[in-house]
Amino acid sequence: MANPFAKSHNGTSNSSEEIISARVISIILDDTHPLFNDYGQWDSIGTIFYDNVKSPTPYLPVKDPESESLSFYPTAKPLFPQYKALPLINEIVVLVQASSLASVTATSAQNWYYISTVNIWNSQQQNVLPDQIYNQYLSDNQSKTPQEVAAGSPQIENSSNLNLEIGSTFVTKKYIYPLRPYEGDVIQEGRWGNSIRLGSTVTGSDNLWSNTGNNGDPITLIRNGQYGIIQEPGEYILENINLDDSSIYLTSNQQIPLKAASSNDYLSYSSNPPTLPSEYSGKQIILNSGRLVFNSDLDHILLSSQKSINLNSQLSVNIDARSEFVVQTPSVYLGDTQNAQPLVLGNDLVDLLTDLVSDIDSLSTSLSNQINGPDGTPLAPTSYTAQLISAKIPEYKTRILNTLSNTSNTV
């Protein structure tokens, strides 16, 4: 029997409906898909093979996402070229008709395009819904009624143990919860605890960014990796910059209670130290993670500040340079700003000490040859001491030259 929803490779649809719900049978993600070449190679990325939800087609070949028999199923491409939300196998997507490439010569030619995954289970992780024919073969813990799911019983307890195909690498992670929304929020959530919130200050709320400021003060929160917590399935969660794996916060008038890894009371400041990160209220960008890497593979890294640039560490601050380490400033303090002594100028000190040693050398030579009265004998104590000093003069000159650093310079 012919499939009433099938289409030819030129993109012409045979269905009179304009919007349908479709179950994803397979999706082309890379060149390993068996029909990658048949559907346009790299132009086929994102193409889904689907079955109509209203009228599943049991007479079609076995629904194997890796089978070449998928060519019996109709296909659809993503509607939006700049935005891709790729569905899982057995998720439901909304399909709409729009012009196809064939409309260049036939203006009425249309293609099916998918918009989004249908929020069957109100889960940002997966919304898999097998067809009725397949559903009868699932065990009790793999198939739940909507009422059971609403009560907190997950539709799929462990997707990795199911015969139900949802993908080759996708694994449902436990304890990933949806973000709590506020009025006017625009939230984009990934499947694994990564998200972007375009939000604002919400006075009187229990989030971590609304202790100061006014309703409507904008804030953008980028989060990757939800912190570990066990709560009721489907219960909302909030971003936590101190617990989430990695965070970028772009604020306007908010105070963010960031627990800085090191502040050391800003001991290098004699006055007007920076406000602690947890106490600052104002526009700022905060990056927080287990490690931060700033890398420029072509040009400079520029750090510029209206006030100071503070480097703060629990252990050490290390600077490695293959060529030079240059500091240009009117004043340099090493160790402390209080009771600090100025560094000597190496070359000037060498010149001074060299002249001094030369004069001492001349004096020692004169004293060592000084005679004692009419008999012409040397003055014993003076001559002996002068001879000892004269013998050390070459060593002193060498040691003075060696006091110059081969790497550090100042002006």
Side-chain angles (χ1 to χ4, degrees), residues 57-64 67 69-70 72-73:
T57 50
Y59 46 79
L60 286 177
V62 176
K63 295 178 172 66
D64 181 359
S67 171
S69 64
L70 291 169
F72 287 92
Y73 289 93

Side-chain angles (χ1 to χ4, degrees), residues 242-257:
N242 295 308
L243 300 178
D244 292 328
D245 289 349
S246 298
S247 304
I248 301 177
Y249 283 29
L250 293 83
T251 74
S252 55
N253 294 312
Q254 293 83 9
Q255 182 183 86
I256 307 299

Side-chain angles (χ1 to χ4, degrees), residues 121 130-145 148-149 153-159 161-164:
W121 304 113
D131 62 56
Q132 295 176 357
I133 297 174
Y134 187 91
N135 196 56
Q136 64 181 308
Y137 298 108
L138 296 179
S139 60
D140 291 339
N141 73 325
Q142 296 171 357
S143 177
K144 304 293 177 67
T145 66
E148 289 175 309
V149 174
S153 178
Q155 166 72 4
I156 297 177
E157 294 185 352
N158 189 346
S159 60
N161 295 330
L162 282 179
N163 292 325
L164 174 62

Side-chain angles (χ1 to χ4, degrees), residues 370-380:
Q370 187 176 9
I371 61 176
N372 182 21
D375 59 358
T377 58
L379 293 174

Side-chain angles (χ1 to χ4, degrees), residues 342-372:
L343 296 173
V344 298
L345 302 180
N347 290 331
D348 292 348
L349 177 62
V350 168
D351 291 341
L352 172 61
L353 292 178
T354 298
D355 292 342
L356 178 61
V357 169
S358 296
D359 291 342
I360 294 176
D361 186 19
S362 298
L363 176 61
S364 298
T365 300
S366 298
L367 290 176
S368 63
N369 295 324
Q370 187 176 9
I371 61 176
N372 182 21

